[in-house]
């Protein structure tokens, strides 16, 4: 039985060979350019792992310590590389442990292909050992999924899986493969998928709609752009920058859109949303034309929809027709790829500066700086703040690090205060808000971009949800930097309890272990900082380290993250304290 692999530069294998289904799976991955996959073996996927062992010089498998860690690591890999991330698990609990990461990838438009083993086809539906209907379970949280019961189906299904995962608006795909399909034989030939009937991933750019959008923008006195991750996924950073600069439009970003344009750009006015910046939130209800690009009007961005930008004409640039008019009714919808649409828009725009309008953003930023930002990054109180930790990381990384944040107060602080000079630098769980995301996602990010500094910013709560992935870091010598901002609380929940539940801190205070000792148990160097005078040297040492490094910073227990838009309130009701 031959084991020649497909030429990576070609779409079709050079010859047909008789091989097993499990070998075909590995051949398909190699043909798709997969160099790393994350997973955890088990009985129903064991034939594939056996073949993987034979191809270990061509494709690396990273053994995570939990299948959820495999999914998140594949997400981190995909988010920083722009490639499809791959995760693999066995049937039953192995497959169900992937679901959180799959759901996270679905709502954040991350391209994943997840391969799960399944019991033999004659056992399907019999409640066999470690059998679950993972296709049924994952249907609501995948872009597409499929169960394979015959070896001959494997090449076509996997080719389709990779095409669907990465095309148009990306997303996760799950392929469930029965054990008999893995053992069965087929005449192997691999051809990359170039299209699927009735599936059009990228709508044709509507030039008439682009023209209408340009007319609205050119006539606007107070235009405002909000961009999202669609800019990054569509590789449209330069086109967005050109549009903003030519038309002189103040522009803000959603959490997942952060880093598409450098933080320091003079027309970058900050983050919108529940814990976003004061000016862009307030000016949403002052602008006369709101231009949304590659964002989906998430509820954390819009607040109360009945009061959201009612005075403005809405222009929505969007690749997914399902998102248009779903939450916010548009005046002009421009369907299509962000790069193509913005390229068509640019020559139609008039040059402008909107100096007086932009000054209003500057004035509101000055208010926020005085009442919030300065106290966060230049505190005078005794206890350490999360903001000053991020400031120190910016100093040492010079704004070039990829920041991978978990979910909670530290996430909002990391997104607000990180300096981003390079695109694809803010990797976080946006729509699903998955605690435990950051540590494994940072592993995947660092492996995808070994020349970049990757810093995970995590709270003491989320850290303990996937802390076992320190073993993956140690075994694979992944030089990721881990910062735990420890306030001994589930901080964001505690903040809500303080503000809206009369300080009834029900089940949010945490008694934590010795995190540094745990890190050292995994042979990872670590340090604990409790005083301000220790912080700068500790961060400097961490960034300078060539190996993995763990830094615990003990911050104020009851600090809150402001500004804040209360749940269900208008963006204009944003609170500074």
């Amino acid at each position: 039985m031959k084991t020649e692999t497909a030429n990576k530069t070609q779409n079709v294998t050079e010859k047909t060979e008789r091989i097993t289904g499990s070998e075909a799976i590995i051949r398909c991955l190699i043909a798709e350019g997969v160099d790393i996959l994350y997973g955890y073996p088990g009985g129903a996927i064991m034939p594939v792992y056996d073949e993987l062992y034979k191809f270990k010089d061509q494709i690396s498998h990273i053994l995570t310590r939990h299948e959820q860690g495999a999914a998140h690591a594949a997400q981190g890999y995909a988010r920083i590389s722009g490639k499809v991330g791959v995760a693999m698990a066995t049937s039953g609990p192995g497959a169900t442990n992937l679901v959180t990461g799959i759901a996270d990838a679905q709502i954040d438009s991350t391209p994943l292909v997840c391969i799960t083993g399944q019991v033999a086809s004659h056992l399907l539906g019999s409640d066999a050992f470690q059998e679950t209907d993972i296709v049924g379970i994952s249907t609501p949280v995948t872009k597409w999924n499929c169960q394979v019961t015959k070896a001959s189906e494997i090449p076509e299904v996997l080719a389709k899986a990779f095409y669907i995962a990465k095309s148009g608006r990306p997303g996760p795909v799950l392929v469930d493969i029965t054990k008999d399909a893995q053992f069965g034989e087929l005449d192997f030939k691999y051809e990359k998928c170039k299209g699927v009937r009735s599936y059009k991933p990228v709508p044709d750019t509507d030039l008439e709609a682009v023209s209408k959008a340009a007319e609205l923008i050119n006539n606007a006195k107070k235009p405002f752009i909000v961009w999202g991750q669609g800019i990054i996924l569509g590789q449209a950073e330069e086109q967005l920058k050109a549009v903003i600069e030519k038309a002189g439009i103040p522009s803000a970003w959603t959490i997942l859109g952060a880093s598409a344009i450098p933080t320091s750009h003079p027309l970058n006015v900050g983050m919108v949303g529940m814990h976003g910046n004061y000016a862009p939130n307030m000016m949403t209800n002052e602008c006369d034309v709101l231009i949304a690009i590659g964002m989906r009007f998430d509820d954390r961005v819009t607040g109360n929809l009945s009061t959201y930008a009612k005075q403005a004409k809405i222009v929505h640039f969007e690749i997914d027709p399902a998102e248009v008019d779903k939450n916010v009714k548009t005046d002009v919808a421009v369907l299509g790829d962000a790069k193509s649409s913005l390229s068509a828009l640019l020559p139609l725009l008039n040059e402008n500066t909107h100096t007086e309008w932009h000054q209003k953003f500057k004035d509101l930023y000055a208010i926020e700086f005085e009442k919030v930002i300065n106290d966060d990054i230049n505190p005078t109180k005794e206890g350490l703040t999360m903001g000053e930790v991020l400031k120190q990381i910016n100093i040492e990384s010079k704004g070039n690090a990829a920041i991978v944040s978990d979910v909670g107060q530290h996430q909002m602080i990391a997104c607000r205060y990180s300096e981003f000079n390079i695109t694809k630098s803010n990797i976080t769980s946006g729509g699903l808000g998955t605690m435990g995301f950051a540590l494994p996602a940072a592993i995947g990010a660092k492996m995808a971009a070994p020349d970049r500094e990757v810093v995970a910013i995590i709270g003491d709560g989320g850290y303990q949800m996937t802390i076992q992935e320190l073993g993956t870091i140690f075994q694979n010598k992944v030089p990721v930097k881990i910062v735990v901002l420890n306030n001994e609380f589930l901080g964001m929940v505690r903040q809500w309890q303080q503000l809206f539940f009369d300080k009834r801190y029900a089940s949010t205070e945490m008694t934590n272990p010795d995190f540094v000792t745990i890190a050292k148990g995994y042979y990872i160097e670590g340090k604990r900082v409790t005083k301000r005078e220790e912080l700068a040297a500790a961060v400097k040492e961490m960034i300078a380290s060539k190996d993995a490094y763990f830094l615990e910073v003990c911050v104020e227990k009851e600090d809150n993250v402001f500004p804040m838009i209360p749940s269900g309130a208008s963006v204009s009701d944003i609170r500074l304290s």
Side-chain angles (χ1 to χ4, degrees):
M1 197 177 292
K2 296 179 181 180
T3 56
E4 289 182 16
T5 59
N7 186 331
K8 290 184 181 180
T9 63
Q10 298 179 351
N11 285 340
V12 186
T13 51
E14 294 175 353
K15 59 184 72 175
T16 299
E17 302 174 64
R18 190 75 178 172
I19 62 174
T20 64
S22 53
E23 182 178 344
I25 293 167
I26 306 305
R27 296 282 198 95
C28 294
L29 296 179
I30 293 171
E32 289 289 346
V34 176
D35 54 355
I36 297 176
L37 71 151
Y38 302 88
Y40 206 98
I45 198 70
M46 205 175 296
V48 179
Y49 272 87
D50 187 55
E51 290 297 334
L52 188 60
Y53 183 81
K54 302 172 187 177
F55 286 87
K56 60 186 178 182
D57 291 337
Q58 293 171 266
I59 187 167
S60 297
H61 176 271
I62 304 302
L63 174 65
T64 57
R65 296 308 187 259
H66 191 284
E67 291 89 353
Q68 182 180 343
H72 291 326
Q75 285 180 274
Y77 178 95
R79 291 274 287 274
I80 203 168
S81 69
K83 300 178 183 178
V84 177
V86 182
M88 191 159 66
T90 193
S91 63
T96 58
N97 282 342
L98 289 174
V99 171
T100 296
I102 293 171
D104 194 285
Q106 171 77 343
I107 201 164
D108 282 354
S109 303
T110 303
L112 290 189
V113 169
C114 295
I115 298 170
T116 54
Q118 184 55 276
V119 301
S121 55
H122 73 278
L123 293 173
L124 289 172
S126 70
D127 293 332
F129 177 68
Q130 290 194 334
E131 181 198 0
T132 56
D133 178 11
I134 193 60
V135 171
I137 290 169
S138 65
T139 293
V141 294
T142 49
K143 188 176 178 185
W144 180 70
N145 66 14
C146 182
Q147 186 173 80
V148 174
T149 58
K150 296 178 181 178
S152 59
E153 300 170 337
I154 288 171
E156 183 179 356
V157 168
L158 283 178
K160 186 176 177 181
F162 274 89
Y163 174 75
I164 291 174
K166 66 187 175 185
S167 59
R169 180 181 180 178
V173 169
L174 182 137
V175 179
D176 190 46
I177 307 175
T178 61
K179 202 166 184 179
D180 51 323
Q182 297 171 43
F183 277 125
E185 293 189 349
L186 71 155
D187 293 321
F188 180 73
K189 180 182 178 183
Y190 192 73
E191 184 174 356
K192 288 188 177 182
C193 182
K194 297 178 181 177
V196 177
R197 190 177 69 176
S198 77
Y199 169 56
K200 188 172 184 179
V202 182
D204 295 330
T205 301
D206 185 342
L207 296 180
E208 184 179 348
V210 172
S211 180
K212 289 179 181 177
E215 183 179 1
L216 278 177
I217 295 168
N218 287 334
N219 290 328
K221 303 298 182 186
K222 298 186 287 186
F224 179 37
I225 286 175
V226 178
W227 83 80
Q229 191 186 200
I231 294 295
I232 295 171
L233 294 173
Q235 300 179 351
E237 294 92 341
E238 289 304 314
Q239 288 73 21
L240 175 65
K241 184 169 176 282
V243 164
I244 288 171
E245 290 177 346
K246 183 177 183 181
I249 302 175
S251 303
W253 36 272
T254 68
I255 283 178
L256 295 185
S259 81
I261 289 178
T263 311
S264 59
H265 192 285
L267 288 169
N268 183 339
V269 295
M271 181 171 79
V272 293
M274 181 172 279
H275 291 285
N277 292 103
Y278 188 51
N281 276 304
M282 290 293 290
M283 293 296 97
T284 296
N285 283 356
E286 295 290 334
C287 66
D288 56 4
V289 177
L290 176 61
I291 307 109
I293 309 174
M295 56 87 83
R296 58 189 180 86
F297 291 110
D298 174 73
D299 63 292
R300 287 292 173 102
V301 166
T302 64
N304 188 336
L305 282 170
S306 68
T307 61
Y308 182 79
K310 291 301 179 182
Q311 79 295 336
K313 298 289 186 182
I314 307 292
V315 178
H316 194 180
F317 288 81
E318 176 58 51
I319 196 171
D320 185 355
E323 293 294 348
V324 175
D325 293 333
K326 184 176 83 173
N327 295 325
V328 173
K329 299 299 181 184
T330 58
D331 293 278
V332 176
V334 182
L335 287 172
D337 170 75
K339 179 182 278 191
S340 299
S341 297
L342 293 179
S343 296
L345 175 70
L346 183 63
L348 304 180
L349 294 178
N350 298 333
E351 291 192 13
N352 211 323
T353 58
H354 294 291
T355 304
E356 292 183 8
W357 170 234
H358 191 201
Q359 185 60 44
K360 291 188 176 183
F361 286 83
K362 295 178 181 178
D363 293 343
L364 291 180
Y365 175 81
I367 293 171
E368 183 185 352
F369 186 87
E370 179 186 354
K371 294 189 174 182
V372 178
I373 296 172
N374 195 41
D375 287 339
D376 279 349
I377 63 174
N378 301 307
T380 55
K381 57 188 170 185
E382 183 178 347
L384 286 159
T385 67
M386 296 184 185
E388 65 182 313
V389 179
L390 267 298
K391 177 185 176 182
Q392 205 60 45
I393 291 171
N394 290 335
I395 290 170
E396 296 300 331
S397 68
K398 299 178 175 59
N400 295 324
I403 303 296
V404 185
S405 56
D406 212 75
V407 172
Q409 288 181 315
H410 63 279
Q411 176 191 33
M412 297 297 102
I413 293 293
C415 292
R416 283 174 54 80
Y417 294 126
S418 293
E419 291 179 4
F420 297 121
N421 296 329
I422 304 169
T423 189
K424 297 177 184 169
S425 290
N426 186 50
I427 299 169
T428 192
S429 173
L432 195 64
T434 305
M435 292 176 68
F437 170 88
L439 187 61
I443 294 171
K446 184 63 179 178
M447 288 185 163
D451 295 333
R452 293 200 62 187
E453 192 70 75
V454 175
V455 182
I457 307 294
I458 317 177
D460 48 310
Y463 182 56
Q464 293 178 83
M465 289 191 170
T466 50
I467 194 171
Q468 69 275 359
E469 299 307 332
L470 292 174
T472 307
I473 292 171
F474 161 59
Q475 180 171 345
N476 296 282
K477 297 179 171 56
V478 187
V480 67
K481 309 301 167 60
I482 307 154
V483 180
V484 167
L485 301 178
N486 183 3
N487 56 13
E488 299 181 336
F489 266 111
L490 299 177
M492 187 60 81
V493 183
R494 184 213 57 76
Q495 177 169 334
W496 281 55
Q497 288 172 333
Q498 178 185 335
L499 297 177
F500 308 115
F501 293 88
D502 297 325
K503 296 188 178 181
R504 292 187 294 275
Y505 296 157
S507 301
T508 48
E509 191 163 9
M510 303 195 74
T511 300
N512 290 316
D514 184 335
F515 289 128
V516 173
T517 296
I518 291 172
K520 289 184 176 179
Y522 284 99
Y523 304 97
I524 296 170
E525 187 62 35
K527 183 166 286 187
R528 187 172 194 253
V529 170
T530 60
K531 298 177 182 178
R532 182 162 291 119
E533 55 266 28
E534 302 168 338
L535 179 63
V539 172
K540 186 179 184 69
E541 181 178 319
M542 176 185 74
I543 298 296
S545 175
K546 301 298 183 184
D547 303 314
Y549 193 102
F550 172 80
L551 179 63
E552 176 189 6
V553 183
C554 299
V555 296
E556 283 277 348
K557 289 188 67 171
E558 295 188 51
D559 265 0
N560 291 328
V561 181
F562 287 104
M564 179 182 183
I565 301 169
S567 181
S570 168
V571 292
S572 300
D573 294 330
I574 186 168
R575 295 172 52 172
L576 292 174
S577 62

